[in-house]
């Protein structure tokens, strides 16, 4: 089930108001101007995963709570069978399949990501994202062009990448087909929810 943007935005607003956090504080926490933040909190603009992750961090909740309204409840383990998970479609056709949405107190967010091949992106600068922590990407199929700050590299199946996600990073699918990869977003130690 795909989370409804308006419902997610309403949960963010409600949690912000309940926590007595101003819109300006949330704008600062998410790296947005006040106007940009207001447009996203109202549901007028799409919500990137980076934005959701930063909102969840500032609000002190699991990102799954923002997406579904439910608090993760499993504590021992979670088995997610092939093809299952919480589907999150964000950022120009990228599809994130969260592989452990019900596991409580996660130190990392595990995703199976499918990046679409978009012809217009091939000769354009790659959009860079920033979020505290580290990330691991393992290419399952297809090809990826990965940018880390001013360095660009080409990756293919079996390639493994670990990086400081607080520094500029971004990726696009290349080679005329989508790229599927496992992405594990790791919280900074001091932000880990125990």
């Amino acid at each position: 089930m795909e989370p409804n943007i308006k419902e997610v935005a309403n949960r963010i607003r409600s949690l912000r108001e309940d926590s007595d956090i101003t819109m300006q504080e949330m704008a600062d926490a998410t790296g947005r101007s006040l106007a940009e933040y207001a447009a996203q909190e109202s549901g007028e603009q799409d919500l990137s995963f980076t934005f959701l992750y930063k909102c969840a961090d500032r609000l002190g909740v699991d990102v799954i709570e923002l997406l579904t309204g439910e608090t993760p409840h499993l504590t021992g383990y979670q088995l997610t069978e092939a093809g299952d998970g919480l589907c999150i479609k964000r950022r120009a056709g990228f599809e994130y399949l969260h592989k452990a949405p019900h596991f409580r107190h996660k130190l990392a967010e595990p995703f199976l990501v499918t990046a679409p091949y978009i012809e217009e992106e091939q000769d354009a600068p790659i959009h860079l994202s920033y979020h505290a922590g580290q990330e691991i990407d393992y290419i399952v199929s297809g090809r990826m062009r990965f940018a880390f700050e001013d360095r660009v590299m080409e990756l293919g199946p079996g390639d493994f990448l670990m990086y400081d996600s607080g520094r500029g990073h971004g990726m696009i699918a290349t080679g005329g087909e989508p790229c599927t990869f496992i992405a594990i977003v790791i919280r900074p130690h001091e932000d880990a929810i125990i």
Side-chain angles (χ1 to χ4, degrees):
M1 179 180 92
E2 173 66 20
N4 178 292
I5 292 172
K6 290 278 190 188
E7 290 175 4
V8 173
N10 187 48
R11 280 191 278 278
I12 292 170
R13 180 188 50 75
S14 296
L15 284 166
R16 177 186 62 76
E17 290 174 349
D18 192 48
S19 300
D20 291 325
I21 299 171
T22 67
M23 287 182 82
Q24 184 62 59
E25 289 172 309
M26 287 299 290
D28 293 343
T30 59
R32 307 290 195 275
S33 70
L34 183 57
E36 290 169 331
Y37 176 80
Q40 291 189 295
E41 185 183 87
S42 69
E44 295 171 18
Q45 289 184 357
D46 198 8
L47 311 174
S48 70
F49 179 73
T50 299
F51 174 79
L52 292 169
Y53 185 80
K54 289 178 177 181
C55 283
D57 186 52
R58 178 63 182 94
L59 295 167
V61 298
D62 192 293
V63 72
I64 299 305
E65 191 170 337
L66 294 181
L67 293 169
T68 66
E70 299 175 17
T71 302
H73 55 278
L74 298 176
T75 58
Y77 73 94
Q78 179 177 351
L79 169 64
T80 306
E81 295 180 345
D84 288 343
L86 177 65
C87 183
I88 307 165
K89 293 182 181 178
R90 296 285 174 262
R91 198 186 133 208
F94 271 63
E95 182 175 302
Y96 296 81
L97 190 60
H98 198 298
K99 298 303 282 184
H102 304 294
F103 193 79
R104 191 173 179 187
H105 304 309
K106 289 182 287 297
L107 301 178
E109 303 287 344
F111 297 93
L112 181 62
V113 182
T114 302
Y117 175 81
I118 301 173
E119 184 65 40
E120 300 79 46
E121 292 181 339
Q122 301 307 303
D123 295 319
I126 296 173
H127 171 76
L128 300 180
S129 295
Y130 304 80
H131 53 88
Q134 297 175 338
E135 188 165 333
I136 295 170
D137 295 337
Y138 176 81
I139 312 304
V140 176
S141 65
R143 302 207 53 82
M144 170 195 291
R145 182 170 301 132
F146 178 79
F148 185 80
E149 296 178 327
D150 60 353
R151 180 155 187 214
V152 177
M153 53 201 97
E154 301 289 329
L155 306 172
D159 287 342
F160 177 93
L161 187 62
M162 184 170 184
Y163 51 93
D164 176 349
S165 54
R167 295 168 65 181
H169 63 281
M171 64 277 299
I172 62 169
T174 61
E177 63 184 18
C179 178
T180 300
F181 60 100
I182 296 169
I184 300 174
V185 179
I186 306 166
R187 296 176 184 273
H189 179 67
E190 65 274 10
D191 292 342
I193 299 172
I194 304 291

